[in-house]
């Protein structure tokens, strides 16, 4: 599943290539890819036709293109990448998993390819939340650690009042967005915190360190992704991920901790896995 850095790589690629372009044709190849757009495929197509793409946006793992068919931009094309969604620029790909294709006025095609069909496109109205314009489906999503207006100290205060595991709260999109399972484990490892500890039991300075670690690990991943980015295709692959080789915790069960050498462990957590160092990140006492 793509995490924030992967989605941001896609957004940056799109920002360079589609901003100020106008959509001149749209074809929905599979209705499932537009199921979130309740008014249906014909409505989505009609609303995209003739729309100018005025910019790109992202919050957490949510990605959108702002549409300006009138004087003020009031709607957005929200892109759900799901597990395996890709936004491709160039010729129409000869791909069985092509779901939607939009022709732009410079002759390029923006295609949505999705092998597993969990993702899709929808059009949503823009709303202003806490001084920032976001699409309606994103209104309840908290700012992510890379947002210039992310207020770390306020989030620390929220966490101090949460009487549940800190990892569960890192994954809580209403508290802080964009931290998925992989980067939660990486941030916890960097800050030497076991994810099973209660958020409310951690000192403020430790919570601040943890949020800083989350921002740092995603910035590092982004720097790495920026170098491997192919300018022809805006591409995200949820299966392999771009950033695996730089991970210190996730996927490293049985391998030595890169800090202390202890054998890394894996445990079940919220139907997924947690990876941690038992020495650097001791479990809380029962
Ligand atoms: Zn260790």
């Amino acid at each position: 599943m793509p995490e924030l850095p992967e989605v941001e790589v896609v957004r940056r690629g799109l920002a360079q290539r589609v901003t100020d372009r106008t959509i001149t044709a749209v074809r929905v190849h599979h209705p499932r890819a537009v199921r979130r757009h309740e008014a249906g495929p014909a409505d989505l197509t009609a609303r995209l036709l003739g729309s100018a793409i005025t910019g790109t946006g992202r919050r957490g793992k949510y990605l959108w293109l702002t549409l300006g068919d009138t004087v003020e931009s009031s709607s957005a094309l929200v892109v759900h990448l799901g597990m395996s969604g890709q936004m491709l620029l160039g010729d129409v790909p000869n791909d069985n998993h092509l779901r939607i294709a939009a022709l732009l006025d410079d002759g390029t095609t923006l295609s949505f390819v999705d092998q597993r069909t969990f993702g899709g496109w929808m059009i949503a109205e823009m709303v202003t939340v806490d001084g920032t314009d976001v699409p309606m489906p994103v209104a309840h999503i908290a700012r992510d650690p890379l947002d210039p207006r992310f207020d770390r100290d306020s989030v620390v205060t929220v966490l101090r009042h949460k009487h549940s595991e800190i990892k569960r709260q890192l994954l809580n999109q209403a508290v802080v967005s964009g931290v998925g399972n992989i980067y939660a484990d990486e941030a916890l490892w960097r800050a030497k915190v076991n994810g099973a500890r209660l958020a409310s039991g951690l000192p403020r300075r430790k919570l601040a360190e943890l949020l800083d670690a989350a921002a740092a690990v995603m910035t590092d991943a982004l720097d790495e992704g920026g170098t491997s980015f192919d300018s022809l295709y805006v591409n995200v692959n949820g299966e392999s991920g771009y950033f695996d080789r730089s991970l210190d915790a996730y996927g490293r069960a049985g391998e030595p901790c890169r800090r202390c050498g202890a054998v890394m462990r894996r445990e079940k957590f919220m139907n997924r896995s947690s990876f941690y160092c038992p020495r650097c990140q001791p479990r809380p006492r029962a």
Side-chain angles (χ1 to χ4, degrees):
M1 189 159 195
E3 296 220 25
L4 186 156
E6 287 93 334
V7 179
E8 176 60 12
V9 167
V10 174
R11 189 201 63 75
R12 289 179 181 181
L14 288 171
Q16 286 174 15
R17 297 284 304 276
V18 306
T19 304
D20 297 330
R21 297 266 69 88
T22 298
I23 298 169
T24 57
V26 180
R27 182 154 179 216
V28 176
H29 292 263
H30 197 303
R32 199 169 140 75
V34 299
R35 69 192 181 283
R36 290 185 183 86
H37 188 77
E38 289 178 6
D43 181 80
L44 179 114
T45 301
R47 290 184 63 180
L48 287 177
L49 265 180
S51 285
I53 299 168
T54 54
T56 61
R58 182 193 55 74
R59 176 169 289 187
K61 300 183 218 173
Y62 286 78
L63 171 70
W64 63 89
L65 306 177
T66 48
L67 302 174
D69 38 9
T70 55
V71 176
E72 57 187 273
S73 178
S74 62
S75 62
L77 171 60
V78 180
V79 178
H80 289 262
L81 294 170
M83 300 291 283
S84 56
Q86 296 173 292
M87 295 284 274
L88 306 180
L89 278 165
D91 297 329
V92 178
N94 181 18
D95 191 315
N96 288 336
H97 304 117
L98 174 64
R99 305 304 179 200
I100 310 167
L103 183 65
L104 307 180
D105 61 349
D106 63 353
T108 58
T109 300
L110 174 61
S111 301
F112 183 71
V113 172
D114 189 8
Q115 190 182 343
R116 295 167 72 177
T117 335
F118 289 119
W121 289 7
M122 70 176 287
I123 292 177
E125 304 314 309
M126 295 295 283
V127 293
T128 304
V129 180
D130 187 23
T132 302
D133 292 343
V134 293
M136 189 73 92
V138 183
H140 65 290
I141 304 294
R143 292 185 193 276
D144 62 66
L146 299 189
D147 188 322
R149 295 185 61 192
F150 178 74
D151 185 346
R152 187 195 68 182
D153 293 343
S154 297
V155 176
V156 166
T157 301
V158 171
L159 289 171
R160 286 283 298 156
H161 291 88
K162 296 286 186 185
H163 304 295
S164 73
E165 301 101 318
I166 182 61
K167 183 172 176 183
R168 187 180 296 272
Q169 294 306 323
L170 283 178
L171 298 173
N172 180 350
Q173 303 295 300
V175 172
V176 52
S177 70
V179 184
N181 198 45
I182 295 173
Y183 292 106
D185 280 1
E186 294 300 305
L188 289 161
W189 183 84
R190 285 195 186 193
K192 301 186 195 174
V193 174
N194 191 291
R197 292 185 64 180
L198 291 182
S200 56
L202 290 164
R204 285 192 70 93
R205 108 190 114 64
K206 202 56 164 172
L207 291 167
E209 188 185 333
L210 181 58
L211 291 171
D212 287 347
V217 74
M218 288 193 285
T219 302
D220 290 351
L222 207 43
D223 291 345
E224 201 179 306
T227 59
S228 65
F229 179 59
D230 181 338
S231 63
L232 181 61
Y233 289 111
V234 178
N235 211 329
V236 64
N237 184 336
E239 295 298 328
S240 61
Y242 287 134
F243 309 120
D244 293 357
R245 58 207 152 101
S246 63
L247 298 178
D248 288 315
Y250 191 84
R252 298 199 68 244
E255 294 178 49
C257 169
R258 291 202 174 116
R259 194 164 38 214
C260 77
V263 178
M264 300 285 290
R265 284 190 192 160
R266 171 187 185 151
E267 276 179 12
K268 287 235 182 289
F269 183 81
M270 291 172 71
N271 296 321
R272 285 179 279 187
S273 293
S274 286
F275 297 88
Y276 69 99
C277 169
R279 191 181 296 159
C280 297
Q281 303 164 268
R283 282 188 60 82
R285 291 165 204 270

